[in-house]
Amino acid sequence: MTDTVLDVRNLRVEFPTRRGVLTAVDDISLTIGKGEILGVVGESGAGKSMTGMAILGLLEPPGRIASGEIRLSGDRIDTLTEHQMQSVRGRRIGAIFQDPLTSLNPLFKVGDQLVETIRLHSTLTRTQARTRALDLMREVGIPAVEERIDNYPHQFSGGMRQRIVIALALCAEPELIIADEPTTALDVSIQAQITALLKRLCRDRGTAVMLVTHDMGVIAETADRVAVMYAGRLAELGNVEDVVRRPQHPYTAGLMGSIPSLRKDMHELQMIPGSMPRLGAIPSGCAFNPRCPQAGPKCRRDIPRSDGPGAACWLALTGETA
Amino acid sequence: MTRPILEVDALERRFDVSAPWLNRVLERKPRRTLRAVDGVDFDIMPGQTLALVGESGCGKSTIAKLVTGLHAPSGGKIRFNGDPEKMQMIFQDPFASLNPRWRVGRIVAEPLRTLHPETPDAQVTARVEELLRTVGLSGADAAKFPHEFSGGQRQRISIARALAGEPEFLVCDEPTSALDVSVQAQVLNLMKKLQREMGLTYLFISHDLSVVRHMADVIAVMYLGRIVEIQPTGDLFANPLHPYTRMLLDTIPDLESPKRDRAPMGGEVPSPVSPPSGCSFHPRCPLAFDRCKRERPQREVHVHDRRVACFAAAEDRQESAHV
């Protein structure tokens, strides 16, 4: 398919430690098309941020990509040197992180940071870059841009700062944006504004977006497809509506049931007993089997893998767990 | 008629956020006051849960600190009609609220030893083990340190510690905000079970309306230090009276019917140091008119039985009628 922007195949990220090698991301395959938003959802430690970091080439040593391939519009990027990767980051892949304060330099005016980033990725003059910065700030919905461009980050509210970060990510018109919990630090009303902005940009510019979050509600309202991660593996991948309304994996179903409803009175929330295993203690077979009400002998023995959409669950794959 | 266990009346808390004296003199800056809580009143009946909900900076956590005595009020009254020793608090961050150098047994026993120093050691140990089992941990966990537990387990330890003083009244400040959803469900279910079994009263503070809907009997919606609407949970969701409540309900992502193409409401919460005149919500309100800019609406008996502080609601103005 020509429209595939990001193609991740069998990605494995490992952290060698004194007590052995920990697998933080275990055999993940996913694609994102032009203008598509893929939600990557999971609880803390599921490996969702690690997947994003691996794609950006920002794994903290000793973390490393142990196997698999990452292609950006057909070009392999996981084998690039750090120097080559620096020109891919920013120019072809933009990044938005949870805390807008750490993504901005507090000592420089936001305009200068935008101009510097634009000039790094283009041949524009200072004046041209400033005009472009003003356009970008307008595009992400910052009011009174002529005055605001010479403000420092601390003079902006949290929501406005996140808009600046999005403008920064857009400077080089990247093919792919990786947004890691972009709305988690924001209040609900601001969160809605930021997700709407992301959706509009994605639609207008045809940018592919990987939206990493723990919040299923944000995914349901924003993403086209969703990948559910558990203990470093892909539990389920599919269209948002299918996954939210008809989850195939018992973990996804449990996750949905544990979210308090805005409409129904629930006497008790559904609970998944226990907690996600630590990386060093992932059980054999399906990583979810000790917490799964339907687990059988096969689930304790063999790791279920699903190619393409669907659930990595023996029950969903073969109809039996014996 | 039963008496409320907590009565809060015209409660105020101001913080001085002025620049240092020298700067004020040199740069001729005035003193600045932040009204974190600005005339709040509510009652809580025994055995019920009242939730305070609102966005950051609305003053909900300050109220928790005022009620538990961690801050002194600048004005107004808080009356607790119970034994002051029977009030406990659960905090948001289970990583910061447990002493990392103490074993869990000592942490849970602390209220017991403070309130009843004469209790023999054996009895304290037995009680601690019983409490740990109540919150779904094992008695043997008493010998461990907090870092050996996950976030959800730590919050269970916080709950066990709060229960050690045999409280009637618990102030819970965002008890599940730092937890993953599946763990949040475990902690919320535990809190409901304990309330049923022990007849606890909760003041529950949260920014999450779906959590609040699940937990609370009565919900108070706060905006910039004031309660703009207070209603029984069912009524609030069926018939929200304040435009801000409607905006909040509109903007929460909804799993069951995702609003994928909604136009989100513009604007942000203004700074509490310089709140807008009149009704502090008027700059963002689709129903605002002149009076909202001049006068501050109060909750009045003849307007939906003191449930809402809004001139538009008082005059029954509808959003559809507004162009």
Side-chain angles (χ1 to χ4, degrees):
Chain A
M1 209 166 76
T2 48
D3 273 355
T4 304
V5 175
L6 179 74
D7 188 355
V8 177
R9 293 245 177 99
N10 305 104
L11 178 69
R12 177 188 292 268
V13 173
E14 291 180 349
F15 281 78
T17 67
R18 267 179 300 174
R19 274 176 256 163
V21 175
L22 302 179
T23 309
V25 176
D26 187 359
D27 201 13
I28 297 277
S29 298
L30 45 86
T31 60
I32 311 180
K34 207 168 182 316
E36 185 184 42
I37 302 181
L38 174 79
V40 177
V41 69
E43 299 182 273
S44 353
K48 52 191 194 305
S49 294
M50 209 60 81
T51 308
M53 287 307 205
I55 294 165
L56 283 164
L58 288 176
L59 287 174
E60 296 265 352
R64 58 168 193 232
I65 295 176
S67 60
E69 290 179 15
I70 303 172
R71 281 172 202 278
L72 185 64
S73 306
D75 308 327
R76 191 122 182 229
I77 56 167
D78 57 306
T79 48
L80 298 181
T81 62
E82 175 52 29
H83 183 71
Q84 290 169 314
M85 198 59 204
Q86 265 175 17
S87 71
V88 171
R89 265 195 311 267
R91 199 185 306 260
R92 299 187 59 190
I93 310 179
I96 302 166
F97 295 111
Q98 175 170 349
D99 182 0
L101 261 188
T102 54
S103 312
L104 296 169
N105 189 328
L107 300 178
F108 291 95
K109 295 170 181 171
V110 298
D112 292 345
Q113 299 187 48
L114 283 163
V115 167
E116 186 199 322
T117 314
I118 291 165
R119 295 195 63 200
L120 190 69
H121 298 302
S122 69
T123 53
L124 297 183
T125 64
R126 248 193 124 58
T127 330
Q128 288 170 322
R130 194 177 160 90
T131 315
R132 172 113 180 84
L134 287 167
D135 288 344
L136 279 171
M137 285 175 74
R138 261 182 227 113
E139 189 172 350
V140 297
I142 291 169
V145 285
E146 307 275 354
E147 298 154 36
R148 299 295 265 165
I149 191 165
D150 289 320
N151 284 6
Y152 290 91
H154 75 90
Q155 291 169 295
F156 289 85
S157 66
M160 286 298 154
R161 262 183 231 139
Q162 198 60 300
R163 288 172 194 267
I164 302 274
V165 173
I166 293 174
L168 269 173
L170 292 174
C171 281
E173 309 204 349
E175 298 145 62
L176 171 71
I177 290 180
I178 295 186
D180 191 350
E181 304 273 9
T183 60
T184 306
L186 307 173
D187 277 321
V188 276
S189 63
I190 311 302
Q191 177 178 310
Q193 296 170 5
I194 297 292
T195 49
L197 172 65
L198 268 180
K199 264 197 296 197
R200 177 165 61 79
L201 294 172
C202 176
R203 197 185 309 134
D204 295 353
R205 293 162 165 260
T207 316
V209 177
M210 178 167 158
L211 177 66
V212 176
T213 175
H214 70 285
D215 189 332
M216 210 58 206
V218 169
I219 296 271
E221 300 214 329
T222 315
D224 302 304
R225 286 187 306 134
V226 59
V228 183
M229 289 190 69
Y230 184 80
R233 297 177 194 161
L234 214 51
E236 185 161 359
L237 180 72
N239 289 325
V240 160
E241 277 206 13
D242 296 339
V243 174
V244 170
R245 290 184 193 280
R246 291 172 294 277
Q248 301 293 307
H249 199 288
Y251 172 67
T252 320
L255 202 59
M256 297 296 163
S258 65
I259 301 170
S261 168
L262 273 175
R263 308 174 171 272
K264 285 192 295 265
D265 285 322
M266 293 192 279
H267 183 57
E268 266 208 334
L269 299 170
Q270 199 180 324
M271 285 196 287
I272 309 175
S275 52
M276 193 159 63
R278 294 185 183 198
L279 284 183
I282 294 175
S284 63
C286 171
F288 188 61
N289 85 67
R291 305 173 71 189
C292 182
Q294 287 141 303
K298 193 174 181 60
C299 308
R300 289 186 271 276
R301 209 169 47 231
D302 303 319
I303 300 179
R305 304 268 184 209
S306 158
D307 299 319
C313 165
W314 287 120
L315 200 61
L317 289 169
T318 62
E320 56 161 353
T321 57
Chain B
M1 211 182 100
T2 35
R3 212 156 64 126
I5 189 165
L6 184 79
E7 294 170 86
V8 171
D9 188 25
L11 185 64
E12 274 186 40
R13 171 71 207 200
R14 296 180 292 271
F15 292 101
D16 187 347
V17 291
S18 313
W21 174 80
L22 194 60
N23 294 60
R24 287 209 307 276
V25 172
L26 294 177
E27 296 161 23
R28 292 164 198 261
K29 283 185 177 161
R31 277 196 166 273
R32 303 204 311 163
T33 327
L34 184 154
R35 289 167 173 273
V37 177
D38 192 6
V40 160
D41 35 17
F42 61 85
D43 296 338
I44 309 180
M45 302 305 283
Q48 290 221 313
T49 301
L50 178 118
L52 296 175
V53 59
E55 298 181 271
S56 34
C58 72
K60 53 194 194 300
S61 292
T62 307
I63 291 183
K65 288 181 180 154
L66 290 167
V67 167
T68 45
L70 294 173
H71 281 324
S74 315
K77 268 197 261 101
I78 302 170
R79 187 173 12 191
F80 183 59
N81 299 317
D83 181 349
E85 290 184 353
K86 302 281 184 192
M87 188 193 286
Q88 289 285 340
M89 186 158 179
I90 301 171
F91 298 90
Q92 170 171 2
D93 186 351
F95 294 83
S97 56
L98 303 176
N99 188 334
R101 292 165 188 272
W102 284 16
R103 290 180 196 277
V104 168
R106 184 170 169 202
I107 292 173
V108 175
E110 194 187 10
L112 213 60
R113 293 204 187 273
T114 313
L115 298 173
H116 308 285
E118 72 289 350
T119 323
D121 281 356
Q123 215 174 313
V124 172
T125 314
R127 177 81 179 121
V128 165
E129 288 182 5
E130 185 193 330
L131 285 164
L132 288 173
R133 279 194 297 274
T134 309
V135 298
L137 298 169
S138 87
D141 288 335
K144 295 184 186 164
F145 285 99
H147 73 87
E148 296 175 67
F149 296 89
S150 67
Q153 289 171 324
R154 284 183 215 211
Q155 208 54 310
R156 288 169 191 266
I157 296 170
S158 301
I159 295 172
R161 171 177 62 185
L163 294 177
E166 297 184 352
E168 297 167 354
F169 184 77
L170 278 176
V171 177
C172 319
D173 188 3
E174 303 264 13
T176 60
S177 306
L179 307 176
D180 279 318
V181 276
S182 72
V183 182
Q184 165 174 285
Q186 295 172 356
V187 172
L188 292 180
N189 281 347
L190 172 67
M191 289 181 65
K192 277 196 124 177
K193 179 173 151 261
L194 294 172
Q195 180 171 45
R196 271 198 310 275
E197 289 170 0
M198 305 183 178
L200 299 172
T201 308
Y202 291 138
L203 173 60
F204 191 94
I205 288 154
S206 176
H207 69 282
D208 187 332
L209 268 167
S210 57
V211 166
V212 157
R213 167 171 182 152
H214 183 65
M215 295 297 290
D217 299 295
V218 179
I219 297 177
V221 180
M222 291 193 66
Y223 190 76
L224 282 180
R226 298 168 60 81
I227 292 179
V228 295
E229 172 162 5
I230 180 166
Q231 289 213 70
T233 304
D235 295 354
L236 185 111
F237 279 87
N239 185 24
L241 296 169
H242 199 281
Y244 176 62
T245 313
R246 284 199 288 272
M247 186 205 90
L248 273 184
L249 288 171
D250 248 16
T251 46
I252 321 171
D254 187 352
L255 266 185
E256 282 122 284
S257 64
K259 298 163 282 239
R260 295 184 65 95
D261 291 309
R262 60 157 170 219
M265 185 169 213
E268 299 186 359
V269 183
S271 158
V273 179
S274 49
S277 61
C279 170
S280 46
F281 187 61
H282 85 255
R284 301 173 77 187
C285 182
L287 301 179
F289 59 119
D290 282 352
R291 192 178 170 196
C292 306
K293 289 174 201 159
R294 285 193 319 266
E295 269 178 72
R296 174 187 269 187
Q298 305 291 337
R299 278 156 49 209
E300 290 176 74
V301 181
H302 63 274
V303 181
H304 298 284
D305 194 22
R306 298 201 74 232
R307 287 180 172 194
V308 63
C310 173
F311 293 127
E315 294 169 17
D316 223 9
R317 230 159 337 120
Q318 301 296 319
E319 253 149 76
S320 51
H322 183 88
V323 184

